[in-house]
Amino acid sequence: MSQSLSGGALTTSAPETADVIVVGAGPGGSSVAAYLAMAGLDVLLLEKTHFPREKVCGDGLTPRAVRELVSLGIAMPEDDGWIKNKGLRIIGGGMRLQLDWPDNASFPPYGLVRTRQDFDDILARHAVKQGAQLRQGVNVVAPVRGSNGHIVGVEAKEMGVDGRATGATMSYRAPLVIAADGNSSRLSLAMGREKREDRPMGVAVRAYYTSPRHDDDYLESWLELWSKDAQGKRVLLPGYGWIFGVGDGTSNVGLGILNTSSAFGKTDYKEVMRQWVATMPDEWTYNEETITGPIKGAALPMGFNRQPHYADGLLLVGDAGGMVNPFNGEGIAYAMESARLAAEVVAQAFARTDDASRERVLQSYPQVMRDALGGYYTLGRMFAKMIGNPDVMRLAVKYGLPRKTMMQFLLKVMANLGDTTGGRIDDRALALLSRMTPAA
């Protein structure tokens, strides 16, 4: 049978019970499980795969994500594989601009790089250390509903370490279930929560290459990615390519594209990446001989594209709730942030002594998320729509990059790093703009 990290074996007899079931042990799921366990709740964390496991991601962590790691209590020593970076290097329009992360009271002045194969494992182990019960190889296949239509548990199939179903089935019960099962969120779909088509969606592809650039202390972003339309004309895509040094002899190289372009869905993004990589200097050694595995892709659900974030006993965090930043495609920071905010609501709800009071507190979670990110995500949605026009994208690269002060402000906007304690005039401007914009 599947084992928890704490060594406990699964059983196939009576349903296993808890205060809260968390489905998915990615950054959002493991974080909310850790916070809830610290609050004294009995938490079951269900993960369909076995750790360590790979995820398609850029592996780059902005200072916003670092803040969440600090809040969660994760140690990040450099001698244990946490690769610090100073900021972002932007390349486009024939220019190369190097910008340091903002240094303010709200966020640390550095980012990190850590592969998801390590990162997710670290967070899951942290959740176990706080008291959560992790069950690996548990593929949730259906919700269990009570007489009032609320979810009261899940049914699952056991998965072997080879990714195949073993044939064993399990049942779990809890008065609250948290969906942290990613972009597809089969649990949300089973509960009738479809994706919103009026929200931006992105796609990311990436691969690892052995390279002497593996220890670069800046994240690198390329703003010009080209494809061809049906007539063979070159089209500038709304998105960016990245090169992030992993520090282990490899670089994470990839690209992210928005669906606001007419080329979306008609473009082979893996081929776009191959063509882009082929333009890089030979000494960087990004080529077919140094690639360590296949180019892999994943969807990026943005701007709260699945709502409501709580209803009928099911609460959504991270990609399951479409919480990827529309400005830059960042998901880890927001998965962990939504987990922290969700845990605060859930802990308060479970402190209530009757079901009606508990439900009233849980129903506040969608507004908590709107207050935290709704206005900012609406701005991001407008931005995504604008740069879907190749002419706008071309003008932004041509006239924006030469102005370092403007780009420093844009870095703060796109990475959502404004000082929430007041800060400088640009921090206050960003905060005011987000407050004035209708919530997503």
Side-chain angles (χ1 to χ4, degrees):
M1 303 298 291
S2 300
Q3 299 288 321
S4 73
L5 284 182
S6 58
L10 290 171
T11 64
T12 57
S13 53
E16 193 169 0
T17 62
D19 294 324
V20 181
I21 293 170
V22 180
V23 180
S30 289
S31 295
V32 74
Y35 280 123
L36 292 176
M38 284 188 274
L41 296 181
D42 183 11
V43 183
L44 272 172
L45 178 58
L46 310 181
E47 168 58 35
K48 68 179 180 180
T49 62
H50 292 259
F51 289 109
R53 54 105 167 98
E54 188 180 21
K55 284 285 186 178
V56 175
C57 184
D59 300 333
L61 303 169
T62 68
R64 194 173 187 95
V66 177
R67 181 182 71 167
E68 293 304 321
L69 288 167
V70 172
S71 297
L72 191 59
I74 300 293
M76 297 168 281
E78 291 188 68
D79 60 3
D80 191 33
W82 295 93
I83 308 303
K84 280 189 176 182
N85 55 73
K86 300 176 181 177
L88 182 67
R89 184 183 304 115
I90 302 174
I91 295 173
M95 294 193 62
R96 181 177 182 273
L97 186 64
Q98 198 157 279
L99 303 171
D100 288 344
W101 296 120
D103 187 1
N104 59 40
S106 297
F107 300 97
Y110 64 91
L112 294 166
V113 174
R114 185 88 193 207
T115 67
R116 289 292 298 275
Q117 188 164 16
D118 287 340
F119 185 80
D120 289 16
D121 194 11
I122 289 168
L123 293 190
R125 289 180 178 277
H126 183 74
V128 170
K129 185 178 179 181
Q130 305 311 312
Q133 302 175 72
L134 175 65
R135 302 290 183 254
Q136 299 181 68
V138 176
N139 183 20
V140 171
V141 295
V144 177
R145 292 176 183 257
S147 58
N148 62 354
H150 281 216
I151 188 171
V152 295
V154 296
E155 300 292 326
K157 293 182 179 179
E158 183 186 53
M159 309 298 288
V161 292
D162 59 359
R164 297 179 181 179
T166 66
T169 61
M170 293 85 71
S171 295
Y172 303 90
R173 300 291 184 271
L176 176 68
V177 178
I178 296 177
D181 51 346
N183 165 60
S184 59
S185 192
R186 291 170 59 190
L187 186 58
S188 298
L189 290 173
M191 290 291 291
R193 242 166 283 185
E194 302 282 344
K195 294 177 184 176
R196 293 183 57 161
E197 297 301 326
D198 61 343
R199 296 294 189 259
M201 176 68 74
V203 63
V205 298
R206 69 97 176 96
Y208 295 96
Y209 297 82
T210 57
S211 171
R213 300 197 66 202
H214 71 98
D215 58 354
D216 192 345
D217 55 5
Y218 280 81
L219 302 181
E220 189 164 284
S221 177
W222 294 52
L223 299 187
E224 292 180 294
L225 296 172
W226 297 88
S227 182
K228 290 184 179 180
D229 62 17
Q231 289 73 44
K233 181 182 176 182
R234 288 215 313 164
V235 177
L236 183 61
L237 299 174
Y240 65 93
W242 69 73
I243 301 174
F244 299 163
V246 181
D248 62 353
T250 66
S251 296
N252 182 317
V253 181
L255 58 86
I257 303 293
L258 289 162
N259 68 347
T260 51
S261 165
S262 59
F264 191 83
K266 309 169 188 175
T267 302
D268 183 344
Y269 298 113
K270 293 181 181 179
E271 184 57 30
V272 171
M273 180 170 153
R274 291 187 190 99
Q275 294 175 7
W276 168 51
V277 168
T279 67
M280 296 178 187
D282 291 341
E283 59 267 25
W284 293 1
T285 69
Y286 299 137
N287 53 56
E288 290 303 311
E289 284 70 44
T290 63
I291 194 169
T292 64
I295 299 174
K296 295 184 177 182
L300 303 174
M302 299 177 170
F304 293 166
N305 79 334
R306 184 178 278 114
Q307 296 181 25
H309 288 136
Y310 173 78
D312 301 328
L314 183 70
L315 185 148
L316 313 183
V317 301
D319 285 9
M323 296 181 186
V324 174
N325 183 348
F327 280 104
N328 66 358
E330 181 180 14
I332 291 175
Y334 300 95
M336 296 184 70
E337 185 170 343
S338 65
R340 174 171 52 81
L341 295 173
E344 291 173 1
V345 171
V346 173
Q348 290 298 327
F350 273 81
R352 302 302 194 265
T353 57
D354 62 275
D355 292 343
S357 296
R358 178 181 297 179
E359 181 67 14
R360 188 164 57 249
V361 176
L362 291 171
Q363 287 178 0
S364 71
Y365 175 64
Q367 187 61 50
V368 168
M369 292 309 305
R370 284 193 292 270
D371 291 344
L373 296 169
Y376 176 77
Y377 277 3
T378 297
L379 292 174
R381 195 165 76 243
M382 296 162 59
F383 169 82
K385 186 175 182 179
M386 283 193 304
I387 67 169
N389 184 325
D391 293 332
V392 173
M393 185 71 178
R394 191 176 299 109
L395 290 171
V397 172
K398 181 177 180 180
Y399 294 107
L401 277 177
R403 294 164 174 80
K404 187 169 183 178
T405 300
M406 178 188 293
M407 292 305 297
Q408 195 74 56
F409 174 64
L410 286 176
L411 174 64
K412 188 175 288 188
V413 172
M414 296 183 70
N416 200 7
L417 297 176
D419 191 343
T420 57
T421 64
R424 307 182 339 170
I425 188 170
D426 57 349
D427 298 303
R428 296 194 294 274
L430 175 57
L432 179 63
L433 196 57
S434 295
R435 285 197 302 270
M436 292 175 61
T437 306

